[in-house]
DNA sequence: TCTGGTCAAGGTGGT
DNA sequence: ACCACCTTGACCAGA
C-alpha cells in the first residue's frame, strides 16, 4: 500500500501547476511555465519521498493548453530530457503516478466535437506518462461520462468508444465510480465488457450506491478488474465528508477515525490510496503515520 | 498589495 | 430556451 495526494503541495513554496489565460498565450510564456512546472514537480516528488508518500497524481496543468489548437510548440521534443529524468526518479524510487483529466473529457458524449477534444486530451495525458517512460501501472482515470437521458445507450456508447481508442490510451485508462450517475455496479458491468480496470472512489460510493455493497465487497470486485502483472495494484480514491459542508463536499482535513475504519474493513486487500483531502500532503502524512503499523504499507517502493 | 470576478473545454436539473 | 450549480485554485485587472 502506498499513500498519496493529488496535484499540489502546500508546504513547499513551489507551484508546479502554474498556468495562464488563453489571452496571454505566447510560446515564450509556455516554455517558461512548463520549465517551472517540471522543476517544481521534481521538488514535490523529493518532498514526497522524504515523507514516504509514494503515490502522486500529476496535475493536468503541467503543460498549459497542451491539447488546444493554439499550442503548436513541440513541447514533447523540447522537454524530453526533463520528462525522462523525472520519470527515472519515479521508477528508481518505486513511486506510483496517476492523472485525472477533468470534467470536459467525455468519451461517451453525443457530440462528435466533444469526443474529438476528449481524445486529444487523453492523448496529452498518456504522452506525459510515456515521456517519463512509466509502465502501464501509471494510470489515467476518467468518469464514465454523461447520461444524455438514456443511461443504457450511453453505456453502450462508452463501450464502443473505449474499444476504438488507440492502445496507447487504452492501456492506461481506468474508470472511476462517480457521485451521481454511474455507480460501482455500472462500472463493473462496463469493465466486464471492456476489461477496463475500476478505480474505487470510496466517497463517491457513499454518496451513490452505498446501500448495495460494503467497502469490503467493493474492494473485492474492483481488485478483480486489475491485472496485477500489467496494471499494478488497484488504485483507490479516499475522502470523507466535510462535517460543516454540504453533502458531497470534501473534508478540509482527514477524519482519521473514518480512515482507520475503512482500512480495517479492507484489511484483506492491497491497494494504493489517493487522499482527496483539501489540505493535501498534511493529511497524507497523518494517514501515513496511521498506516505505518499496518502490514500492508510500503516504506519504500519495492 | 489586495481582492473578487473570471477562466478552453460539459453536463444536469430546475424553471 | 435559459440559468444556477458542480468544484477548484490561480490568474489578472482594477482598486
Amino acid at each position: 500500500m502506498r499513500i498519496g495526494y493529488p496535484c499540489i503541495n502546500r508546504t513547499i513554496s513551489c507551484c508546479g501547476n502554474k498556468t495562464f489565460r488563453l489571452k496571454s498565450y505566447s510560446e515564450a510564456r509556455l516554455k517558461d511555465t512548463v520549465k517551472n512546472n517540471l522543476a517544481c514537480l521534481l521538488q514535490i516528488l523529493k518532498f514526497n519521498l522524504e515523507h514516504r508518500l509514494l503515490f502522486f497524481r500529476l496535475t493536468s496543468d503541467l503543460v498549459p493548453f497542451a491539447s488546444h489548437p493554439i499550442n503548436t510548440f513541440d513541447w514533447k521534443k523540447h522537454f524530453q530530457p526533463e520528462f525522462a529524468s523525472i520519470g527515472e526518479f519515479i521508477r528508481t524510487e518505486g513511486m506510483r503516478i496517476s492523472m485525472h483529466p477533468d470534467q470536459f473529457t467525455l468519451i461517451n458524449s453525443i457530440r462528435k466535437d466533444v469526443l474529438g477534444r476528449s481524445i486529444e486530451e487523453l492523448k496529452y495525458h498518456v504522452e506525459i506518462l510515456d515521456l517519463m517512460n512509466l509502465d502501464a501501472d501509471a494510470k489515467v482515470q476518467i468518469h464514465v461520462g454523461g447520461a444524455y437521458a438514456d443511461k443504457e445507450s450511453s453505456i453502450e456508447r462508452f463501450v464502443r468508444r473505449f474499444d476504438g481508442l488507440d492502445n496507447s490510451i487504452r492501456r492506461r485508462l481506468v474508470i472511476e465510480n462517480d457521485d451521481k450517475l454511474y455507480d460501482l455496479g455500472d462500472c463493473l458491468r462496463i469493465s466486464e465488457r471492456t476489461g477496463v480496470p475500476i478505480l474505487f472512489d470510496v466517497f463517491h460510493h457513499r454518496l451513490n450506491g452505498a446501500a448495495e455493497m460494503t467497502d469490503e465487497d467493493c474492494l473485492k470486485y474492483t481488485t478483480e478488474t486489475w491485472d496485477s502483472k500489467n496494471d499494478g495494484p488497484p488504485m483507490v480514491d479516499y475522502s470523507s465528508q466535510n462535517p460543516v459542508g454540504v453533502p458531497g463536499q470534501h473534508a478540509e482535513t482527514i477524519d482519521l477515525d473514518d480512515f482507520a475504519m475503512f482500512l480495517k474493513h479492507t484489511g484483506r486487500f492491497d491497494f494504493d490510496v489517493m487522499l482527496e483531502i483539501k489540505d493535501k500532503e498534511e493529511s497524507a502524512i497523518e494517514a501515513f503515520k496511521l498506516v505505518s503499523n499496518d502490514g500492508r504499507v510500503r516504506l519504500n517502493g519495492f
Side-chain angles (χ1 to χ4, degrees):
Chain A
M1 175 178 287
R2 287 167 285 202
I3 304 288
Y5 63 97
C7 305
I8 59 175
N9 178 300
R10 314 213 291 194
T11 305
I12 65 175
S13 57
C14 196
C15 176
N17 56 322
K18 264 197 196 309
T19 182
F20 47 84
R21 296 289 158 85
L22 184 55
K23 267 197 296 190
S24 330
Y25 184 93
S26 74
E27 198 168 296
R29 181 137 190 198
L30 180 80
K31 273 193 230 174
D32 279 353
T33 305
V34 176
K35 193 177 170 194
N36 167 81
N37 288 350
L38 290 173
C40 286
L41 172 59
L42 188 56
Q43 280 195 42
I44 293 172
L45 292 171
K46 286 179 177 170
F47 173 98
N48 291 352
L49 181 62
E50 268 174 47
H51 293 85
R52 318 311 305 168
L53 302 174
L54 302 178
F55 187 22
F56 190 62
R57 184 185 299 162
L58 304 186
T59 172
S60 298
D61 288 336
L62 212 52
V63 181
F65 304 103
S67 70
H68 190 284
I70 199 173
N71 187 344
T72 56
F73 178 62
D74 193 351
W75 54 269
K76 282 165 276 189
K77 191 171 167 204
H78 190 267
F79 290 105
Q80 191 273 333
E82 286 86 344
F83 280 112
S85 78
I86 292 172
E88 194 181 343
F89 180 81
I90 290 165
R91 280 180 289 122
T92 303
E93 303 299 344
M95 290 177 156
R96 185 90 183 271
I97 296 296
S98 67
M99 296 189 83
H100 193 350
D102 66 24
Q103 57 183 329
F104 310 108
T105 303
L106 294 152
I107 67 166
N108 79 342
S109 177
I110 51 176
R111 288 170 47 188
K112 276 279 150 64
D113 57 330
V114 173
L115 173 65
R117 280 194 292 273
S118 296
I119 290 174
E120 288 307 306
E121 188 68 357
L122 287 174
K123 264 187 202 158
Y124 155 61
H125 283 78
V126 303
E127 271 165 1
I128 296 276
L129 303 173
D130 289 347
L131 279 166
M132 292 181 176
N133 301 310
L134 300 179
D135 293 337
D137 74 327
K139 295 299 187 189
V140 173
Q141 61 186 97
I142 58 170
H143 295 286
V144 177
Y148 310 96
D150 183 352
K151 211 166 135 180
E152 283 312 306
S153 62
S154 297
I155 288 177
E156 290 302 314
R157 210 163 40 250
F158 181 95
V159 170
R160 206 167 59 237
R161 298 264 174 80
F162 179 88
D163 288 341
L165 291 172
D166 194 285
N167 186 50
S168 62
I169 296 174
R170 252 189 355 243
R171 68 195 277 264
R172 294 197 187 278
L173 207 58
V174 303
I175 56 171
E176 173 190 352
N177 55 303
D178 70 63
D179 57 344
K180 289 198 172 70
L181 292 173
Y182 294 95
D183 65 15
L184 203 55
D186 297 323
C187 292
L188 285 164
R189 285 195 292 140
I190 292 170
S191 179
E192 260 175 42
R193 299 181 52 193
T194 56
V196 68
I198 301 172
L199 188 155
F200 174 44
D201 187 306
V202 181
F203 189 42
H204 288 165
H205 183 66
R206 287 181 193 173
L207 296 162
N208 182 19
E212 298 169 26
M213 261 186 277
T214 63
D215 286 348
E216 187 178 11
D217 281 345
C218 293
L219 256 302
K220 177 169 174 272
Y221 294 128
T222 52
T223 296
E224 287 168 4
T225 66
W226 293 70
D227 167 10
S228 60
K229 209 178 226 173
N230 295 312
D231 296 324
M235 291 179 175
V236 169
D237 281 357
Y238 172 87
S239 180
S240 48
Q241 172 63 40
N242 183 333
V244 294
V246 296
Q249 201 164 3
H250 289 202
E252 290 287 329
T253 185
I254 189 166
D255 178 343
L256 286 174
D257 292 336
D258 185 74
F259 187 56
M261 195 64 80
F262 170 72
L263 289 174
K264 194 178 155 199
H265 291 155
T266 57
R268 289 167 51 205
F269 303 96
D270 184 36
F271 48 89
D272 291 329
V273 190
M274 178 66 59
L275 295 164
E276 296 187 314
I277 313 278
K278 286 260 199 123
D279 66 5
K280 307 286 178 185
E281 75 283 359
E282 231 178 287
S283 282
I285 289 167
E286 289 305 308
F288 180 80
K289 283 185 201 158
L290 182 75
V291 296
S292 55
N293 295 324
D294 191 305
R296 288 173 288 178
V297 79
R298 297 197 197 188
L299 298 176
N300 63 55
F302 302 100

